[in-house]
Amino acid sequence: MSKRIKDTDYLHLSTRIRAMENALLERERMDRMLEAGTVEEAAKELTECGYPELQAVNVDTVDAMLAQAREELFGTLNDLAPDGEILDVFKVKYDYHNAKAMLKCEALGLDPERLLVDTGRVAPETLAEAVKRSEFTDLPKVMADAIVEARAVLGKTRDPQRSDMILDQAYFQEMEQLAKDSGSQFLLGYVQMLVDAANLRSVVRVLRMGRDADFLATVLFPGGTIPAATVVKAADGEPLESIYFSSLFEEAAAAGVQAIQGGSLTAFEKACDNALNAYMQKAKYIPFGEQPMLGYVSAKDNEFTAIRIILTGRLADLPADVIRERLRNAYV
């Protein structure tokens, strides 16, 4: 570790976080949103959690509301945290989302503006200018190198999956280094869990396609708690349940087996996310330190996802039970 975190530096913030947790979207309120007579009534439930009342409820207004809430979240915590850079681990995914969108739109001759998210480390305008001019000196080096390589591969192969894979490799590499630089073992553990989840998802997708171990090895990421060399054995007949036995992904692996055999991918994805949530929920039992803040950021991210699932589901007139099945375990 390049630095050491003093948990007492987070004493005041941890107390503030506990108070902020009282406004998190709890399961009871989610159920009221699901059972509300109209989608507008469902959205009004969110005002008790600090969200603005929407004059009109549609995909665009929901996305705009959540984008604003995400920006306010990081702005508030950046101001309060002893070291705001610890939050970069949560921001980096938006940088890579924007990079993927820009490269794909560039290849198709489309404008990516409405796809971009403004809560990464790099402003979308800065990233767009770098891509346009092919001048990447203002970007993190790992990200810059990945964009150059991904763009070249996309131009040569016209295969966005191969391009995305290059960016995903850089994404996990950067997250791991950011977590190590932060000095937080808890945050590093979370990044390792994210790698585990990504690798388990890759196993299920690859085996559903009937591909072999050689192919699986090309889409796995290093850095998880379960080595990629162990995970790849699933393609050679090693049961997923034994590979993930006694890990937080044990239930997700069982759901993955069902998905490989033609079962629900939605249930599998939900189980993966619940495993990640179970790790972050450990922060609830740590009185002070960086963990309560990190747990809260994760909880808010899950909350944003739940709101989008509920409101877009209501807009699509999906039955409440169908929407409920897609919801992840709540932090509160």
Side-chain angles (χ1 to χ4, degrees):
M1 292 290 180
S2 59
K3 67 172 75 170
R4 181 177 178 84
I5 289 180
K6 291 178 62 178
D7 54 7
T8 51
D9 289 344
Y10 285 83
L11 183 58
H12 174 73
L13 178 55
S14 297
T15 302
R16 176 79 176 270
I17 290 294
R18 295 310 182 201
M20 293 164 68
E21 286 176 350
N22 292 328
L24 285 170
L25 181 64
E26 76 282 2
R27 197 64 187 226
E28 181 181 350
R29 192 175 300 279
M30 291 184 202
D31 287 335
R32 291 205 294 270
M33 292 175 68
L34 289 171
E35 302 300 336
T38 66
V39 67
E40 289 78 15
E41 292 173 3
K44 284 182 180 179
E45 288 285 342
L46 296 172
T47 60
E48 296 296 321
C49 298
Y51 292 91
E53 184 171 345
L54 296 178
Q55 297 304 310
V57 183
N58 54 56
V59 173
D60 288 339
T61 59
V62 170
D63 283 347
M65 177 187 70
L66 295 178
Q68 178 183 346
R70 188 180 295 109
E71 188 172 351
E72 291 174 353
L73 169 67
F74 285 124
T76 297
L77 294 180
N78 269 322
D79 291 340
L80 295 175
D83 182 1
E85 289 184 358
I86 195 172
L87 297 170
D88 283 353
V89 164
F90 296 95
K91 296 179 181 180
V92 69
K93 69 178 178 180
Y94 303 112
D95 293 332
Y96 282 89
H97 163 84
N98 289 344
K100 289 178 181 180
M102 287 181 189
L103 292 186
K104 290 172 185 173
C105 287
E106 179 185 62
L108 295 171
L110 301 175
D111 184 353
E113 183 176 358
R114 69 182 305 273
L115 301 174
L116 304 181
V117 181
D118 197 19
T119 43
R121 300 164 302 164
V122 180
E125 299 82 7
T126 301
L127 183 57
E129 190 68 15
V131 171
K132 179 181 178 180
R133 296 181 178 275
S134 295
E135 296 177 359
F136 302 104
T137 55
D138 291 335
L139 305 184
K141 187 176 188 312
V142 172
M143 183 180 182
D145 291 346
I147 290 174
V148 171
E149 184 181 357
R151 177 193 247 170
V153 167
L154 185 58
K156 182 178 180 179
T157 67
R158 313 301 293 179
D159 185 348
Q161 289 186 333
R162 290 182 62 181
S163 174
D164 282 355
M165 187 65 186
I166 292 166
L167 291 168
D168 286 340
Q169 291 279 3
Y171 163 61
F172 283 113
Q173 181 183 343
E174 277 215 79
M175 273 206 304
E176 181 181 31
Q177 191 59 55
L178 287 167
K180 289 179 177 178
D181 291 345
S182 77
S184 172
Q185 288 284 359
F186 184 79
L187 185 58
L188 180 58
Y190 176 62
V191 171
Q192 291 171 334
M193 290 282 292
L194 288 173
V195 174
D196 287 337
N199 285 344
L200 178 54
R201 288 181 168 111
S202 292
V203 170
V204 170
R205 287 196 300 269
V206 167
L207 296 187
R208 275 173 66 99
M209 292 188 298
R211 302 298 294 269
D212 60 16
D214 289 339
F215 178 80
L216 177 58
T218 67
V219 297
L220 296 178
F221 304 102
T225 63
I226 301 173
T230 300
V231 177
V232 79
K233 294 178 182 177
D236 289 326
E238 183 81 16
L240 274 183
E241 295 98 324
S242 65
I243 292 174
Y244 291 90
F245 179 71
S246 294
S247 76
L248 287 175
F249 288 99
E250 186 173 0
E251 291 186 14
V257 171
Q258 296 299 316
I260 292 167
Q261 297 171 351
S264 171
L265 274 174
T266 299
F268 165 65
E269 291 285 349
K270 178 178 176 179
C272 287
D273 288 343
N274 283 342
L276 290 166
N277 294 344
Y279 177 86
M280 279 309 226
Q281 284 175 337
K282 296 176 183 179
K284 293 169 62 177
Y285 307 105
I286 299 173
F288 56 89
E290 80 279 11
Q291 297 90 340
M293 179 186 71
L294 300 174
Y296 180 73
V297 175
S298 177
K300 288 295 291 184
D301 196 42
N302 293 333
E303 178 175 292
F304 299 151
T305 300
I307 290 170
R308 181 176 285 107
I309 288 173
I310 293 172
L311 293 182
T312 57
R314 293 296 309 266
L315 286 167
D317 291 326
L318 296 178
D321 287 344
V322 172
I323 301 173
R324 188 176 285 109
E325 288 176 359
R326 299 179 180 179
L327 295 174
R328 278 52 173 163
N329 292 341
Y331 187 78
V332 293

